Amino acid sequence: MSETEPNHTDHIVSPGIYLTIILCLLGLTGATVAAAYVNLAQFNIVVALAIATLKATLVVLFFMHAKYVPKRTQLVIVAGIFWLALLLLMTMSDYVSRIDYRGIRFPFS
Amino acid sequence: MHRTGELYGQFKTLDQQKDTATLGMWIFLVTEVMFFGGIMLAYTLNRHVYFHAFAMGSNTLSLGLGGFNTVVLLASSFTMAMAVWSAQTSKKGLISLFLALTILLGFVFFGVKYVEYSQKFHHHLVPGKSFDIFYCVNNPAKCDDITPEDMAKEREELENAKAADPNLNAHAQLYYSAYFGMTGLHALHMVIGAGLLFWLLKNSFAGIYSARWNTPVDIVGLYWHFVDIVWIYLFPLLYLIDRHK
């Protein structure tokens, strides 16, 4: 195999796609800062995390080539996110639904 | 063993060998997700319980510096992706160029972080004996980097926060512990990433990466992008809690 011959299944993402993604990421960073200055009460955090997750998804799919890797590697990624969701959701739902012996709801003070 | 991309006995093809390396790296990154996930959980819980102190602490951070660092880090992810592309297309000069740019942007990030951290030390916002969230409003002359308008706003916010949470100073330390813990661990990951990038750059100068074999560039790229993703979450969680006041 010659040195310049590309790896056959190695998907090459073009610089144009990388450029589009970085511009989207910078735009979304501006959007998240702008959204933080709007009073949405408890929904500020929801919007901030939604934008962050959109940015992270773009990075994972394109910069990290997750869109182009074998299915078993994608399964590992999805399993990791699922496990993180279990950690956060189960623990938080336990805390916020807990009532102590005096009948006082969390945070018990 | 000197690894230059020969096919090891347990693999059929170089493609299969690379897919295996990529899978292994992703499994490592999942353990990193769990590591940062536990810290994020501790953060979420404390933020839920001590919201006023967390909001107050967040508003004492410099959004300008944090936002600038976000842009720098995203740009470094782009240059890293371009280094991978250069390797995949055997553009050997460009690999070194993009790796060097990624390192440079990483060091810009460290520089800004140094400015931010030293500001927090001067403002008595490092958890411990001398922590005092009221230090700047009580000693305006010692915090001359804060404009009078910002100072007036901070005084008003502090009064409201103190009314809502009498133990504000103690709880603000929890916020700052989370801030230094999370950004510190993130920065540690970047230091490790920068070390790996220097190693790649050394090998790149020797011209060993090409379309045929570029697994290390790809793998370190995955790590660098992961560290970028951590920052993508840290930025809104730490800097943008309660900016709309």
Side-chain angles (χ1 to χ4, degrees):
Chain A
M1 198 190 269
S2 83
E3 264 223 327
T4 47
E5 190 181 326
N7 223 338
H8 288 287
T9 57
D10 202 12
H11 190 280
I12 298 175
V13 182
S14 73
I17 291 181
Y18 287 145
L19 200 60
T20 312
I21 298 301
I22 182 67
L23 291 176
C24 288
L25 290 172
L26 293 173
L28 286 168
T29 303
T32 196
V33 172
Y37 279 95
V38 182
N39 189 354
L40 306 167
Q42 69 267 44
F43 291 105
N44 272 102
I45 181 67
V46 178
V47 172
L49 286 178
I51 295 177
T53 302
L54 182 57
K55 285 165 77 180
T57 308
L58 288 175
V59 172
V60 168
L61 286 181
F62 296 98
F63 282 179
M64 300 173 91
H65 305 154
K67 194 172 186 292
Y68 313 103
V69 298
K71 287 227 156 39
R72 96 184 79 79
T73 308
Q74 292 177 336
L75 181 67
V76 167
I77 301 168
V78 172
I81 297 164
F82 177 72
W83 218 249
L84 178 68
L86 278 187
L87 171 75
L88 297 175
L89 292 176
M90 295 304 218
T91 315
M92 282 314 287
S93 59
D94 180 29
Y95 268 107
V96 299
S97 63
R98 210 166 263 250
I99 296 170
D100 78 355
Y101 63 95
R102 297 163 297 180
I104 297 173
R105 292 183 67 85
F106 179 76
F108 314 138
S109 55
Chain B
M1 192 198 308
H2 184 57
R3 291 164 188 262
T4 51
E6 69 272 33
L7 186 65
Y8 299 138
Q10 69 270 39
F11 298 109
K12 263 187 178 161
T13 63
L14 281 174
D15 288 347
Q16 188 197 24
Q17 184 167 293
K18 187 175 183 182
D19 281 345
T20 309
T22 310
L23 178 63
M25 189 61 194
W26 271 107
I27 291 172
F28 168 70
L29 291 181
V30 167
T31 70
E32 287 273 66
V33 168
M34 293 303 126
F35 172 69
F36 278 100
I39 297 165
M40 297 268 185
L41 176 64
Y43 162 91
T44 307
L45 196 56
N46 280 292
R47 174 188 161 134
H48 176 76
V49 179
Y50 307 112
F51 184 79
H52 297 289
F54 270 55
M56 192 59 239
S58 173
N59 284 354
T60 58
L61 293 187
S62 163
L63 185 54
L65 292 176
F68 177 74
N69 252 356
T70 306
V71 172
V72 168
L73 209 53
L74 289 173
S76 82
S77 251
F78 172 72
T79 54
M80 186 69 230
M82 288 305 291
V84 172
W85 174 79
S86 311
Q88 286 173 332
T89 52
S90 290
K91 295 179 173 55
K92 295 192 177 181
L94 282 183
I95 306 174
S96 303
L97 174 71
F98 281 119
L99 287 175
L101 278 174
T102 310
I103 293 171
L104 183 72
L105 288 165
F107 274 83
V108 171
F109 184 93
F110 293 144
V112 173
K113 210 75 227 161
Y114 167 76
V115 173
E116 275 194 281
Y117 276 15
S118 64
Q119 211 175 47
K120 298 300 162 259
F121 275 89
H122 289 304
H123 292 177
H124 286 234
L125 290 175
V126 181
K129 215 175 163 186
S130 62
F131 184 92
D132 183 8
I133 187 100
F134 302 98
Y135 180 79
C136 277
V137 295
N138 290 338
N139 306 279
K142 296 240 170 83
C143 300
D144 48 12
D145 50 335
I146 302 178
T147 63
E149 303 92 73
D150 285 347
M151 192 69 91
K153 202 176 162 203
E154 192 172 319
R155 180 171 285 117
E156 193 195 327
E157 279 179 28
L158 273 170
E159 276 162 15
N160 293 337
K162 178 84 180 161
D165 179 357
N167 214 353
L168 185 70
N169 203 50
H171 299 152
Q173 288 195 60
L174 283 173
Y175 170 78
Y176 265 98
S177 301
Y179 168 75
F180 282 107
M182 291 160 102
T183 58
L185 278 171
H186 175 264
L188 175 67
H189 277 77
M190 283 194 63
V191 170
I192 294 167
L196 291 168
L197 284 167
F198 274 116
W199 169 70
L200 285 184
L201 190 61
K202 189 199 90 187
N203 287 343
S204 168
F205 281 143
I208 70 168
Y209 302 127
S210 68
R212 183 178 140 82
W213 186 68
N214 51 53
T215 306
V217 186
D218 213 25
I219 298 288
V220 173
L222 288 177
Y223 179 81
W224 192 260
H225 296 310
F226 168 78
V227 176
D228 189 27
I229 289 174
V230 172
W231 186 261
I232 284 174
Y233 280 96
L234 288 187
F235 176 60
L237 288 180
L238 294 172
Y239 289 80
L240 302 174
I241 296 180
D242 203 24
R243 288 286 169 180
H244 55 74
K245 258 184 194 155

